[in-house]
Coordinates of all heavy atoms in Angstrom, one line a residue:
M1 N 1.3 130.2 -281.1 CA 2.2 129.0 -281.4 C 2.6 129.0 -282.9 O 1.7 129.2 -283.7 CB 1.3 127.7 -281.1 CG 1.7 127.0 -279.8 SD 3.1 125.9 -280.0 CE 2.3 124.4 -280.6
G2 N 3.8 128.9 -283.1 CA 4.3 128.8 -284.5 C 4.2 127.4 -285.0 O 3.6 126.5 -284.4
K3 N 4.7 127.2 -286.2 CA 4.7 125.9 -286.9 C 6.1 125.4 -287.1 O 7.0 126.2 -287.1 CB 4.0 126.1 -288.2 CG 2.6 126.6 -288.2 CD 2.0 126.6 -289.6 CE 0.5 127.1 -289.6 NZ 0.4 128.5 -290.1
P4 N 6.2 124.1 -287.2 CA 7.5 123.5 -287.4 C 8.2 124.1 -288.6 O 9.4 124.1 -288.7 CB 7.2 122.0 -287.6 CG 5.9 121.8 -286.9 CD 5.1 123.1 -287.0
K5 N 7.4 124.6 -289.6 CA 8.0 125.2 -290.8 C 9.0 126.3 -290.3 O 9.9 126.6 -291.0 CB 6.9 125.9 -291.6 CG 6.2 124.8 -292.5 CD 6.9 124.7 -293.8 CE 6.3 123.7 -294.7 NZ 7.2 123.0 -295.6
E6 N 8.6 127.0 -289.2 CA 9.5 128.1 -288.8 C 10.9 127.6 -288.4 O 11.9 128.3 -288.5 CB 8.8 128.9 -287.7 CG 7.6 129.7 -288.2 CD 6.9 130.4 -287.1 OE1 7.5 130.8 -286.1 OE2 5.7 130.6 -287.3
L7 N 10.9 126.4 -287.8 CA 12.2 125.8 -287.4 C 13.0 125.5 -288.7 O 14.2 125.7 -288.8 CB 12.0 124.6 -286.6 CG 11.5 124.8 -285.2 CD1 11.3 123.4 -284.5 CD2 12.5 125.6 -284.4
H8 N 12.3 124.9 -289.6 CA 12.9 124.6 -290.9 C 13.5 125.8 -291.5 O 14.7 125.8 -291.9 CB 11.8 124.0 -291.8 CG 12.3 123.5 -293.1 ND1 11.5 123.2 -294.2 CD2 13.6 123.4 -293.6 CE1 12.3 122.9 -295.2 NE2 13.5 123.0 -294.9
R9 N 12.7 126.9 -291.6 CA 13.2 128.1 -292.2 C 14.4 128.7 -291.4 O 15.4 129.1 -292.0 CB 12.0 129.2 -292.1 CG 12.2 130.3 -293.1 CD 11.0 131.3 -293.1 NE 9.7 130.6 -293.2 CZ 8.7 130.8 -292.4 NH1 8.8 131.7 -291.5 NH2 7.6 130.2 -292.6
F10 N 14.3 128.6 -290.1 CA 15.5 129.1 -289.3 C 16.8 128.3 -289.6 O 17.8 129.0 -289.8 CB 15.2 128.9 -287.8 CG 16.4 129.2 -286.9 CD1 16.7 130.5 -286.7 CD2 17.1 128.1 -286.4 CE1 17.9 130.8 -285.9 CE2 18.3 128.4 -285.6 CZ 18.6 129.7 -285.4
Y11 N 16.7 127.0 -289.7 CA 17.9 126.2 -290.0 C 18.4 126.5 -291.4 O 19.5 126.1 -291.7 CB 17.7 124.8 -289.7 CG 17.8 124.5 -288.2 CD1 16.7 124.2 -287.5 CD2 19.0 124.5 -287.6 CE1 16.8 123.9 -286.1 CE2 19.1 124.3 -286.2 CZ 18.0 123.9 -285.5 OH 18.1 123.7 -284.2
K12 N 17.6 127.1 -292.3 CA 18.1 127.4 -293.6 C 18.5 128.9 -293.7 O 18.9 129.3 -294.8 CB 16.9 127.2 -294.6 CG 16.4 125.8 -294.7 CD 17.2 124.9 -295.5 CE 16.6 123.5 -295.6 NZ 17.6 122.5 -295.9
S13 N 18.4 129.6 -292.6 CA 18.6 131.0 -292.7 C 20.1 131.4 -292.7 O 20.9 130.6 -292.2 CB 17.9 131.7 -291.5 OG 18.6 131.4 -290.3
K14 N 20.4 132.5 -293.3 CA 21.8 133.0 -293.3 C 22.2 133.3 -291.9 O 23.4 133.1 -291.5 CB 21.8 134.3 -294.2 CG 23.2 134.6 -294.7 CD 23.1 135.6 -295.8 CE 24.4 135.5 -296.7 NZ 24.3 136.4 -297.9
A15 N 21.3 133.9 -291.1 CA 21.7 134.2 -289.7 C 22.2 133.0 -288.9 O 23.1 133.1 -288.2 CB 20.5 134.9 -289.0
W16 N 21.5 131.9 -289.2 CA 21.9 130.6 -288.5 C 23.3 130.2 -289.0 O 24.1 129.8 -288.2 CB 20.8 129.6 -288.6 CG 21.3 128.2 -288.2 CD1 21.4 127.1 -288.9 CD2 21.7 127.8 -286.8 NE1 21.9 126.0 -288.2 CE2 22.1 126.5 -286.9 CE3 21.9 128.5 -285.6 CZ2 22.5 125.8 -285.8 CZ3 22.3 127.8 -284.5 CH2 22.7 126.5 -284.6
L17 N 23.5 130.2 -290.3 CA 24.8 129.8 -290.9 C 25.9 130.6 -290.3 O 27.0 130.1 -289.9 CB 24.7 130.0 -292.4 CG 24.0 128.9 -293.2 CD1 24.1 129.2 -294.7 CD2 24.6 127.5 -292.9
I18 N 25.6 131.9 -290.1 CA 26.7 132.8 -289.6 C 26.9 132.5 -288.1 O 28.1 132.3 -287.7 CB 26.2 134.3 -289.7 CG1 26.3 134.7 -291.2 CG2 27.1 135.2 -288.9 CD1 25.6 136.0 -291.5
A19 N 25.8 132.2 -287.3 CA 26.0 131.9 -285.9 C 26.7 130.6 -285.8 O 27.6 130.4 -284.9 CB 24.6 131.8 -285.3
R20 N 26.4 129.6 -286.6 CA 27.1 128.3 -286.6 C 28.5 128.5 -286.9 O 29.4 127.8 -286.3 CB 26.5 127.5 -287.8 CG 25.7 126.3 -287.5 CD 25.4 125.5 -288.7 NE 26.4 124.5 -288.8 CZ 26.1 123.2 -288.5 NH1 24.9 122.9 -288.1 NH2 27.1 122.3 -288.5
N21 N 28.9 129.3 -287.9 CA 30.3 129.4 -288.3 C 31.1 130.1 -287.2 O 32.2 129.8 -286.9 CB 30.4 130.3 -289.6 CG 30.0 129.4 -290.8 OD1 30.0 128.2 -290.8 ND2 29.7 130.1 -291.9
L22 N 30.4 131.1 -286.6 CA 31.1 131.8 -285.5 C 31.4 130.8 -284.4 O 32.5 130.8 -283.8 CB 30.1 132.9 -284.9 CG 30.2 134.3 -285.4 CD1 29.1 135.1 -284.7 CD2 31.5 134.9 -285.2
K23 N 30.4 130.0 -284.0 CA 30.7 129.0 -282.9 C 31.7 128.0 -283.3 O 32.6 127.7 -282.5 CB 29.3 128.3 -282.7 CG 29.4 127.2 -281.7 CD 30.0 127.5 -280.4 CE 29.2 128.4 -279.5 NZ 29.8 128.7 -278.2
T24 N 31.7 127.6 -284.6 CA 32.7 126.6 -285.1 C 34.1 127.2 -285.0 O 35.1 126.6 -284.6 CB 32.4 126.2 -286.5 OG1 31.1 125.6 -286.5 CG2 33.3 125.1 -287.0
N25 N 34.2 128.5 -285.4 CA 35.5 129.2 -285.4 C 36.0 129.4 -283.9 O 37.2 129.1 -283.6 CB 35.4 130.5 -286.1 CG 35.3 130.4 -287.6 OD1 35.7 129.3 -288.1 ND2 34.8 131.4 -288.2
A26 N 35.1 129.8 -283.1 CA 35.4 130.0 -281.7 C 35.9 128.8 -281.0 O 36.7 128.9 -280.0 CB 34.2 130.6 -280.9
T27 N 35.5 127.6 -281.4 CA 35.9 126.4 -280.8 C 36.9 125.6 -281.6 O 37.2 124.5 -281.3 CB 34.6 125.5 -280.5 OG1 34.0 125.3 -281.8 CG2 33.6 126.2 -279.6
Q28 N 37.4 126.3 -282.6 CA 38.4 125.6 -283.5 C 37.8 124.3 -284.1 O 38.6 123.4 -284.4 CB 39.7 125.3 -282.8 CG 40.6 126.5 -282.7 CD 40.6 127.1 -281.3 OE1 40.7 126.4 -280.4 NE2 40.5 128.4 -281.3
G29 N 36.5 124.3 -284.2 CA 35.9 123.1 -284.8 C 35.9 121.8 -284.0 O 35.7 120.7 -284.5
K30 N 36.2 122.0 -282.7 CA 36.2 120.9 -281.8 C 35.0 120.8 -280.9 O 34.5 121.8 -280.4 CB 37.5 120.9 -281.0 CG 38.8 120.7 -281.8 CD 40.0 120.7 -280.8 CE 41.2 120.6 -281.6 NZ 42.4 121.2 -280.9
C31 N 34.6 119.5 -280.7 CA 33.6 119.3 -279.7 C 33.9 119.9 -278.4 O 35.0 119.7 -277.9 CB 33.4 117.8 -279.6 SG 32.2 117.3 -278.3
E32 N 33.0 120.7 -277.8 CA 33.3 121.4 -276.6 C 33.3 120.4 -275.4 O 33.7 120.8 -274.3 CB 32.3 122.5 -276.3 CG 32.4 123.6 -277.4 CD 31.5 124.8 -277.0 OE1 31.6 125.4 -276.0 OE2 30.6 125.1 -277.9
R33 N 32.9 119.2 -275.6 CA 32.9 118.3 -274.4 C 34.1 117.3 -274.5 O 34.7 117.0 -273.4 CB 31.6 117.5 -274.4 CG 30.4 118.4 -274.1 CD 29.2 117.8 -273.8 NE 28.1 118.7 -273.8 CZ 26.8 118.5 -273.6 NH1 26.4 117.3 -273.5 NH2 26.0 119.5 -273.7
C34 N 34.4 116.8 -275.6 CA 35.4 115.7 -275.7 C 36.6 116.1 -276.6 O 37.6 115.3 -276.6 CB 34.8 114.4 -276.1 SG 34.4 114.3 -277.8
G35 N 36.5 117.2 -277.4 CA 37.6 117.6 -278.2 C 37.6 116.9 -279.6 O 38.6 117.1 -280.4
A36 N 36.7 116.0 -279.8 CA 36.6 115.4 -281.2 C 36.2 116.4 -282.2 O 35.9 117.5 -281.8 CB 35.7 114.2 -281.1
I37 N 36.1 116.0 -283.4 CA 35.7 116.9 -284.5 C 34.2 117.3 -284.2 O 33.4 116.4 -284.2 CB 35.9 116.3 -285.9 CG1 37.4 116.1 -286.2 CG2 35.3 117.2 -286.9 CD1 37.7 115.3 -287.4
G38 N 34.0 118.6 -284.0 CA 32.6 119.0 -283.8 C 31.8 119.1 -285.1 O 32.3 119.6 -286.1
E39 N 30.7 118.5 -285.1 CA 29.9 118.4 -286.4 C 28.5 119.1 -286.3 O 27.9 119.4 -287.3 CB 29.7 116.9 -286.8 CG 31.0 116.3 -287.1 CD 30.8 114.8 -287.5 OE1 30.3 114.7 -288.7 OE2 31.1 113.9 -286.8
E40 N 28.0 119.2 -285.1 CA 26.7 119.7 -284.9 C 26.6 120.8 -283.8 O 27.3 120.6 -282.8 CB 25.7 118.5 -284.5 CG 25.7 117.5 -285.6 CD 25.1 116.2 -285.2 OE1 24.6 116.0 -284.1 OE2 25.0 115.3 -286.1
V41 N 25.9 121.8 -284.1 CA 25.7 122.9 -283.1 C 24.4 122.7 -282.4 O 23.4 122.7 -283.0 CB 25.8 124.3 -283.8 CG1 25.6 125.4 -282.8 CG2 27.2 124.5 -284.5
H42 N 24.6 122.5 -281.1 CA 23.5 122.2 -280.2 C 23.0 123.5 -279.5 O 23.7 124.4 -279.2 CB 24.0 121.2 -279.2 CG 23.0 121.0 -278.1 ND1 21.8 120.4 -278.2 CD2 23.2 121.3 -276.7 CE1 21.2 120.3 -277.0 NE2 22.0 120.8 -276.1
H43 N 21.6 123.6 -279.3 CA 21.1 124.7 -278.5 C 20.9 124.2 -277.1 O 20.2 123.2 -276.9 CB 19.7 125.1 -279.1 CG 19.8 125.9 -280.3 ND1 19.8 125.4 -281.6 CD2 19.8 127.3 -280.5 CE1 19.9 126.4 -282.5 NE2 19.8 127.6 -281.8
K44 N 21.6 124.8 -276.2 CA 21.5 124.4 -274.8 C 20.0 124.5 -274.3 O 19.5 123.6 -273.6 CB 22.4 125.2 -273.9 CG 23.9 125.0 -274.2 CD 24.7 125.9 -273.3 CE 26.1 125.9 -273.8 NZ 27.0 126.9 -273.1
I45 N 19.4 125.7 -274.6 CA 18.0 125.8 -274.4 C 17.4 125.4 -275.7 O 17.6 125.9 -276.7 CB 17.6 127.3 -274.1 CG1 18.2 127.8 -272.8 CG2 16.0 127.4 -274.0 CD1 18.0 129.3 -272.6
R46 N 16.7 124.3 -275.6 CA 16.2 123.7 -276.9 C 15.3 124.6 -277.7 O 14.5 125.4 -277.2 CB 15.2 122.5 -276.5 CG 15.9 121.4 -275.7 CD 16.8 120.5 -276.6 NE 17.2 119.3 -275.9 CZ 18.2 119.2 -275.0 NH1 18.9 120.3 -274.8 NH2 18.4 118.1 -274.4
L47 N 15.6 124.6 -279.0 CA 14.9 125.5 -279.9 C 13.5 124.9 -280.2 O 13.4 123.7 -280.5 CB 15.7 125.6 -281.2 CG 15.5 126.8 -282.0 CD1 15.9 128.0 -281.2 CD2 16.3 126.7 -283.3
T48 N 12.5 125.7 -280.0 CA 11.1 125.3 -280.3 C 10.5 126.3 -281.2 O 11.0 127.4 -281.4 CB 10.3 125.2 -279.0 OG1 10.1 126.5 -278.5 CG2 11.0 124.3 -277.9
V49 N 9.3 126.0 -281.7 CA 8.6 126.9 -282.5 C 8.2 128.2 -281.7 O 8.0 129.2 -282.3 CB 7.3 126.3 -283.1 CG1 7.6 125.2 -284.1 CG2 6.4 125.7 -282.0
D50 N 8.2 128.1 -280.4 CA 7.8 129.2 -279.6 C 9.0 130.2 -279.3 O 8.8 131.4 -279.1 CB 7.3 128.8 -278.3 CG 6.0 128.0 -278.5 OD1 5.1 128.5 -279.2 OD2 5.8 127.0 -277.8
N51 N 10.3 129.7 -279.4 CA 11.4 130.6 -279.1 C 12.3 130.8 -280.3 O 13.3 131.5 -280.2 CB 12.2 130.1 -277.9 CG 12.8 128.7 -278.1 OD1 13.1 128.4 -279.3 ND2 13.1 128.0 -277.1
V52 N 12.0 130.2 -281.4 CA 12.9 130.2 -282.6 C 13.1 131.7 -283.1 O 14.1 132.0 -283.6 CB 12.4 129.3 -283.8 CG1 11.1 129.9 -284.3 CG2 13.4 129.2 -284.8
N53 N 12.1 132.5 -282.8 CA 12.2 133.9 -283.3 C 12.9 134.8 -282.2 O 13.1 136.0 -282.4 CB 10.9 134.5 -283.6 CG 10.3 133.8 -284.9 OD1 11.1 133.6 -285.8 ND2 9.1 133.5 -284.9
D54 N 13.2 134.2 -281.1 CA 13.9 134.9 -280.0 C 15.4 134.8 -280.2 O 16.0 133.7 -279.9 CB 13.5 134.4 -278.6 CG 14.1 135.1 -277.5 OD1 15.1 136.0 -277.7 OD2 13.7 134.9 -276.3
V55 N 16.1 135.8 -280.7 CA 17.5 135.7 -281.1 C 18.4 135.5 -279.9 O 19.5 135.0 -280.0 CB 18.0 136.9 -281.9 CG1 17.3 137.0 -283.2 CG2 17.8 138.2 -281.1
N56 N 17.9 135.9 -278.7 CA 18.6 135.6 -277.5 C 18.7 134.1 -277.2 O 19.6 133.7 -276.4 CB 18.0 136.3 -276.3 CG 18.2 137.8 -276.4 OD1 19.2 138.3 -276.7 ND2 17.1 138.6 -276.1
I57 N 17.9 133.3 -277.8 CA 18.0 131.9 -277.7 C 18.5 131.3 -278.9 O 19.5 130.5 -278.9 CB 16.6 131.3 -277.3 CG1 16.2 131.8 -275.9 CG2 16.6 129.8 -277.4 CD1 14.8 131.5 -275.5
S58 N 17.9 131.6 -280.1 CA 18.2 130.9 -281.3 C 19.6 131.2 -281.9 O 20.2 130.4 -282.5 CB 17.1 131.2 -282.4 OG 17.1 132.6 -282.7
L59 N 20.0 132.5 -281.6 CA 21.3 132.9 -282.2 C 22.4 133.3 -281.2 O 23.5 133.7 -281.6 CB 21.1 134.0 -283.2 CG 20.2 133.7 -284.4 CD1 19.9 135.0 -285.2 CD2 20.9 132.7 -285.3
N60 N 22.0 133.1 -279.9 CA 23.0 133.5 -278.9 C 24.1 132.5 -278.8 O 23.9 131.4 -278.5 CB 22.2 133.6 -277.6 CG 23.0 134.1 -276.4 OD1 24.3 134.2 -276.5 ND2 22.4 134.4 -275.3
Q61 N 25.3 133.0 -279.0 CA 26.5 132.2 -278.9 C 26.6 131.4 -277.6 O 27.1 130.3 -277.5 CB 27.8 133.0 -279.1 CG 28.0 133.5 -280.6 CD 28.2 132.4 -281.6 OE1 29.1 131.6 -281.4 NE2 27.4 132.3 -282.6
D62 N 26.1 132.1 -276.5 CA 26.2 131.4 -275.2 C 25.2 130.3 -275.1 O 25.3 129.4 -274.2 CB 25.9 132.4 -274.1 CG 27.0 133.5 -273.9 OD1 28.1 133.1 -274.3 OD2 26.7 134.6 -273.5
N63 N 24.2 130.3 -276.0 CA 23.2 129.2 -276.0 C 23.6 128.0 -276.9 O 22.9 127.1 -277.0 CB 21.8 129.7 -276.3 CG 20.8 128.6 -276.0 OD1 20.9 127.9 -275.0 ND2 19.8 128.5 -276.9
L64 N 24.7 128.3 -277.6 CA 25.1 127.3 -278.6 C 26.3 126.5 -278.2 O 27.2 127.0 -277.4 CB 25.5 128.0 -280.0 CG 24.4 128.8 -280.6 CD1 24.9 129.5 -281.9 CD2 23.2 128.0 -280.9
E65 N 26.4 125.3 -278.6 CA 27.5 124.4 -278.2 C 27.9 123.5 -279.3 O 27.0 122.8 -279.9 CB 27.1 123.6 -277.0 CG 28.2 122.9 -276.2 CD 27.7 122.1 -275.0 OE1 26.5 121.9 -274.9 OE2 28.5 121.7 -274.2
L66 N 29.2 123.5 -279.7 CA 29.6 122.7 -280.8 C 29.9 121.3 -280.3 O 30.6 121.1 -279.3 CB 30.8 123.2 -281.5 CG 31.3 122.4 -282.8 CD1 30.3 122.6 -283.9 CD2 32.7 122.8 -283.2
L67 N 29.2 120.3 -280.8 CA 29.4 118.9 -280.3 C 29.7 118.0 -281.4 O 29.4 118.2 -282.6 CB 28.1 118.5 -279.7 CG 27.6 119.2 -278.4 CD1 26.2 118.7 -278.0 CD2 28.6 119.2 -277.3
C68 N 30.4 116.9 -281.1 CA 30.5 115.8 -282.1 C 29.2 115.0 -282.1 O 28.4 115.2 -281.2 CB 31.7 114.9 -281.7 SG 31.5 114.0 -280.2
K69 N 29.1 114.1 -283.0 CA 27.9 113.3 -283.1 C 27.6 112.5 -281.8 O 26.5 112.5 -281.3 CB 27.9 112.4 -284.3 CG 27.7 113.2 -285.6 CD 27.2 112.2 -286.7 CE 26.6 113.1 -287.8 NZ 27.4 112.9 -289.1
D70 N 28.6 111.9 -281.3 CA 28.4 111.1 -280.1 C 27.9 111.9 -278.9 O 27.0 111.5 -278.2 CB 29.7 110.4 -279.7 CG 30.1 109.3 -280.7 OD1 29.2 108.9 -281.5 OD2 31.2 108.8 -280.6
C71 N 28.6 113.0 -278.6 CA 28.2 113.9 -277.5 C 26.8 114.4 -277.8 O 26.0 114.6 -276.8 CB 29.2 115.0 -277.2 SG 30.7 114.4 -276.6
H72 N 26.5 114.8 -279.0 CA 25.2 115.3 -279.3 C 24.1 114.2 -279.1 O 23.0 114.5 -278.5 CB 25.1 115.9 -280.7 CG 24.0 116.9 -280.9 ND1 23.7 117.3 -282.2 CD2 23.3 117.5 -280.1 CE1 22.7 118.2 -282.1 NE2 22.4 118.4 -280.8
N73 N 24.4 113.0 -279.6 CA 23.5 111.9 -279.3 C 23.2 111.7 -277.9 O 22.1 111.5 -277.4 CB 24.0 110.6 -279.9 CG 23.8 110.6 -281.5 OD1 22.9 111.3 -282.0 ND2 24.6 109.8 -282.1
E74 N 24.3 111.7 -277.1 CA 24.2 111.5 -275.7 C 23.4 112.6 -275.0 O 22.5 112.3 -274.2 CB 25.6 111.5 -275.1 CG 25.6 110.8 -273.7 CD 27.0 110.6 -273.2 OE1 27.8 110.0 -273.9 OE2 27.4 111.2 -272.1
E75 N 23.7 113.9 -275.4 CA 22.9 115.0 -274.9 C 21.4 114.8 -275.0 O 20.6 115.1 -274.2 CB 23.4 116.3 -275.6 CG 22.6 117.5 -275.2 CD 22.6 117.9 -273.8 OE1 23.6 117.6 -273.1 OE2 21.6 118.5 -273.3
H76 N 21.0 114.3 -276.2 CA 19.6 114.2 -276.4 C 19.1 112.8 -276.0 O 17.9 112.5 -276.3 CB 19.3 114.4 -277.9 CG 19.4 115.8 -278.3 ND1 18.3 116.7 -278.2 CD2 20.4 116.6 -278.8 CE1 18.7 117.9 -278.6 NE2 20.0 117.9 -279.0
G77 N 20.0 112.0 -275.4 CA 19.5 110.7 -275.0 C 19.0 109.8 -276.1 O 18.1 109.1 -275.9
R78 N 19.6 110.0 -277.3 CA 19.0 109.4 -278.5 C 19.1 107.9 -278.5 O 18.4 107.2 -279.2 CB 19.7 109.9 -279.8 CG 18.8 110.9 -280.5 CD 19.5 111.5 -281.6 NE 20.0 112.8 -281.3 CZ 20.6 113.6 -282.1 NH1 20.8 113.3 -283.4 NH2 21.1 114.8 -281.7
F79 N 20.0 107.4 -277.7 CA 20.1 105.9 -277.6 C 19.2 105.3 -276.6 O 19.0 104.1 -276.5 CB 21.6 105.5 -277.4 CG 22.5 106.0 -278.4 CD1 23.6 106.7 -278.1 CD2 22.2 105.7 -279.8 CE1 24.5 107.2 -279.1 CE2 23.1 106.1 -280.8 CZ 24.2 106.9 -280.4
K80 N 18.7 106.2 -275.7 CA 17.8 105.7 -274.6 C 16.3 105.8 -275.0 O 15.6 104.9 -274.8 CB 18.1 106.4 -273.3 CG 19.5 106.2 -272.8 CD 19.9 107.1 -271.7 CE 21.4 107.5 -271.8 NZ 21.6 108.9 -271.6
K81 N 16.0 107.0 -275.4 CA 14.6 107.2 -275.7 C 14.4 107.9 -277.1 O 15.3 108.5 -277.5 CB 13.9 108.0 -274.6 CG 14.6 109.4 -274.4 CD 13.9 110.1 -273.3 CE 14.8 111.2 -272.6 NZ 15.0 112.4 -273.3
K82 N 13.3 107.7 -277.6 CA 13.0 108.3 -278.9 C 12.6 109.8 -278.7 O 11.6 110.1 -278.0 CB 11.9 107.6 -279.6 CG 12.4 106.2 -280.1 CD 12.2 106.0 -281.6 CE 13.1 105.0 -282.2 NZ 12.6 103.6 -281.8
E83 N 13.4 110.7 -279.2 CA 13.0 112.1 -279.1 C 12.8 112.6 -280.5 O 13.5 112.1 -281.5 CB 14.2 112.8 -278.5 CG 13.9 114.2 -277.9 CD 15.0 114.8 -277.2 OE1 15.8 114.1 -276.5 OE2 15.2 116.0 -277.3
V84 N 11.9 113.5 -280.7 CA 11.7 114.0 -282.1 C 12.8 115.0 -282.4 O 12.9 116.0 -281.8 CB 10.3 114.7 -282.2 CG1 10.1 115.3 -283.6 CG2 9.2 113.7 -281.9
L85 N 13.6 114.6 -283.3 CA 14.7 115.5 -283.7 C 14.7 115.9 -285.2 O 15.6 116.5 -285.7 CB 16.0 114.8 -283.4 CG 16.3 114.6 -282.0 CD1 17.4 113.6 -281.7 CD2 16.7 115.9 -281.3
F86 N 13.6 115.6 -285.8 CA 13.4 116.0 -287.2 C 12.1 116.7 -287.4 O 11.1 116.3 -286.8 CB 13.5 114.7 -288.1 CG 14.8 114.0 -288.0 CD1 15.1 113.0 -287.1 CD2 15.8 114.4 -288.9 CE1 16.3 112.4 -287.0 CE2 17.0 113.7 -288.9 CZ 17.3 112.8 -287.9
D87 N 12.1 117.7 -288.2 CA 10.9 118.4 -288.4 C 10.1 117.6 -289.5 O 10.5 116.5 -289.9 CB 11.2 119.8 -288.8 CG 11.8 120.0 -290.2 OD1 11.8 119.0 -291.0 OD2 12.4 121.0 -290.5
D88 N 9.0 118.1 -289.8 CA 8.1 117.4 -290.7 C 8.6 117.3 -292.1 O 8.0 116.6 -292.9 CB 6.6 117.9 -290.6 CG 6.5 119.3 -291.0 OD1 7.6 120.0 -291.3 OD2 5.4 119.9 -290.9
D89 N 9.7 118.0 -292.4 CA 10.3 117.9 -293.7 C 11.5 116.9 -293.7 O 12.2 116.8 -294.7 CB 10.7 119.2 -294.3 CG 9.6 120.1 -294.6 OD1 8.7 119.6 -295.3 OD2 9.5 121.2 -294.2
G90 N 11.7 116.3 -292.5 CA 12.8 115.4 -292.4 C 14.2 116.1 -292.2 O 15.2 115.4 -292.3
N91 N 14.1 117.4 -291.8 CA 15.4 118.0 -291.6 C 15.8 117.9 -290.1 O 14.9 118.0 -289.2 CB 15.2 119.5 -291.9 CG 15.1 119.8 -293.3 OD1 16.0 119.6 -294.1 ND2 13.8 120.1 -293.7
F92 N 17.1 117.7 -289.9 CA 17.5 117.6 -288.5 C 17.3 118.9 -287.7 O 17.7 119.9 -288.2 CB 19.0 117.2 -288.5 CG 19.6 117.1 -287.2 CD1 19.3 116.0 -286.4 CD2 20.5 118.1 -286.7 CE1 19.8 115.9 -285.1 CE2 21.0 118.0 -285.4 CZ 20.7 116.9 -284.6
I93 N 16.7 118.8 -286.6 CA 16.5 120.0 -285.8 C 16.9 119.8 -284.4 O 16.6 120.6 -283.5 CB 15.0 120.4 -285.8 CG1 14.1 119.2 -285.2 CG2 14.5 120.8 -287.1 CD1 12.7 119.7 -284.9
G94 N 17.8 118.8 -284.1 CA 18.2 118.6 -282.7 C 18.9 119.8 -282.1 O 19.0 119.9 -280.9
Ligands
ZN101 ZN1 32.2 115.0 -278.2
ZN102 ZN1 21.0 119.4 -279.8

């Protein structure tokens, strides 16, 4: 089992920035669900400390989805239930 620190490190990594940019370019910066301005890149298979080092999950374009805030919130059911979306340093990890 890894530590939440590894998630933090991942979201600060150059590899993630590149994967994010690729996804944003591929979708012209639009939410893949509603076409609004995409602001957050979502992992379809949720990123956890156990799979963060698996590039087939963490960096796979097919596992990423550019979403606007509303669709991302809805995806995580953030308005219905409390889900932990921040690591212990307060960084968004949704
Ligand atoms: Zn949307
Ligand atoms: Zn997400």
